[in-house]
Amino acid sequence: MTTPADLSVLTRLAATIAARRGDDPQTSYTAALLARGTDHCARKFGEEAVETIIAGTQTDKDALCREAADTLYHLLVLLAAHDLSLSDVTEILANREGISGHVEKAGRSS
């Protein structure tokens, strides 16, 4: 179960990512990712997502957790690259709360 502490870690990470936007790409990995643009950030997120998928097919739970952490970080970087925030995503999730996934998906416009 997710705790408020779990969410505050993601909130702090998202704030750190936003704060690093203008930092020197030579000293900040986050700034380097953001400086390379949205396409690069999307590809990095995709790479991490694939690594998470692969780890999910294995039995090493620690590896899966590490890859999931990398994926969450790169997702937050991708959102920041598009000037979106974690709050933008959690607002959508909050609106979906209590609605069946099947119902929510069927109600999306194409």
Side-chain angles (χ1 to χ4, degrees):
M1 175 171 217
T2 302
T3 68
D6 296 333
L7 296 177
S8 67
V9 167
L10 288 176
T11 301
R12 287 193 308 274
L13 178 58
T16 298
I17 290 166
R20 299 264 165 88
R21 177 179 291 279
D23 286 359
D24 181 359
Q26 296 295 321
T27 59
S28 168
Y29 178 65
T30 300
L33 288 170
L34 292 169
R36 293 190 66 185
T38 56
D39 288 351
H40 180 74
C41 292
R43 283 192 299 277
K44 284 301 295 177
F45 169 69
E47 289 172 19
E48 295 301 334
V50 168
E51 290 174 9
T52 302
I53 291 165
I54 293 168
T57 67
Q58 309 298 312
T59 59
D60 185 344
K61 291 182 180 184
D62 290 334
L64 176 57
C65 284
R66 287 190 303 274
E67 294 301 340
D70 291 347
T71 300
L72 287 171
Y73 163 78
H74 283 88
L75 174 59
L76 292 173
V77 170
L78 178 59
L79 291 171
H82 282 278
D83 294 320
L84 294 168
S85 69
L86 180 59
S87 295
D88 293 323
V89 176
T90 57
E91 182 179 323
I92 291 171
L93 290 172
N95 290 336
R96 292 180 182 174
E97 199 168 5
I99 300 171
S100 161
H102 293 298
V103 170
E104 188 280 326
K105 191 166 184 165
R108 292 182 197 175
S109 57
S110 298

